[in-house]
Amino acid sequence: MSTNRHLVGRRQFLIASSAALATAAVAPNLFAGETVAPKRLAVGFARFDDAAAVVAAASIPAGDGALIGRGARVSLSGVSGAPADPRARRAVELLVHYSYLDGAERRDAPFRAWACSRRTGCQGNPVSFTVPVDEMQKITLSVGVERGDRQPGTPLTLRAAAAGPSTIEGQGLPVTLSLRSEGGLKLVRGFYIIVPLFDRDAEPRWSAYHLERLGGRWALHDAGGDPAPFEHFVLRIDYAKS
C-alpha cells in the first residue's frame, strides 16, 4: 500500500513538473498575445506634389531604375496622428538594414535611423540618410512596434515578461522597396506613408487623403483639411545624387 502511494505521488509530481515546463515554454507567447502589438503595416504612396492624391504603394507599377548609380536619400521627420498618451504609440523606431559582404558571406547590418520616446512624447530628431541600391536593388526597413512603458531598444528579459504585458516588445515589421519585379513594393521617388495596424484594423482609404505639412512634418489630411486620426509616418525618398 505504501509502495502504491509512493508511485501515485511520483506520478503526480511528474505531471505537475511537465505542466510547469509547458507553461514556462509558452508564457512569452501568451504574454505577447496579450500585448496586442501591431501585426502588419499598410503602406501608401504619393508623388512629389504637395496636393498629390495618395494611393496604395502596391499599385506602383515599376521601380525607378535611375536610382541605380545615384542611391536613395531617405528622410523622416516624425510620427503624425499619434495618440495623446505617448505610451500608446505603435511605432517607436525605424531600422534600416544595410547589406554587405564579409568575405564570401553576405551579412545584414541594422541601423537605427530614428526612434521616439514613449515616456516623454518626444518625436525624435528629423533624420536623413543615404541607402545604396546598386548591388541589392532594394531598400530593406523594419518598423519597431511595441506597447507599454519600456524604452525603445532596451532588452526584454523573462522577469520583464512575467511582470505583465505592458513590458512586451512587438516584432519589427518589415518593409521592402525594390527595383526588381519581385520581392516587395516598388521603389521610386516620392512619399511612402507607413501605418502600423492591429489584426482587425482596416487599411486606410488612401484616396480620401492627401499630404500637407503639419508642425514641420509631412502628414495625411482629409478633404476638409483635418489631419488623419491614426498614427502614421512619412518617408520621403529621392535621388541621393542629381
Side-chain angles (χ1 to χ4, degrees), residues 160-172:
S166 65
T167 61
I168 301 292
E169 181 180 4
Q171 297 296 316

Side-chain angles (χ1 to χ4, degrees), residues 63 85 149 207:
D85 184 350
D149 296 327
S207 60

Side-chain angles (χ1 to χ4, degrees), residues 87-157:
R87 293 173 298 175
R89 282 182 174 172
R90 300 183 179 188
V92 295
E93 62 186 11
L94 178 72
L95 299 180
V96 185
H97 300 271
Y98 288 91
S99 178
Y100 69 98
L101 281 175
D102 182 8
E105 185 176 358
R106 181 161 295 281
R107 297 183 181 274
D108 178 85
F111 165 70
R112 180 182 293 147
W114 170 87
C116 72
S117 170
R118 305 179 76 249
R119 180 173 298 173
T120 66
C122 177
Q123 286 279 9
N125 294 324
V127 296
S128 186
F129 51 92
T130 298
V131 183
V133 295
D134 292 16
E135 188 174 2
M136 302 305 294
Q137 298 187 19
K138 65 181 179 180
I139 297 176
T140 303
L141 312 166
S142 60
V143 178
V145 293
E146 65 179 337
R147 183 180 181 186
D149 296 327
R150 192 167 59 83
Q151 289 289 80
T154 58
L156 175 65
T157 65

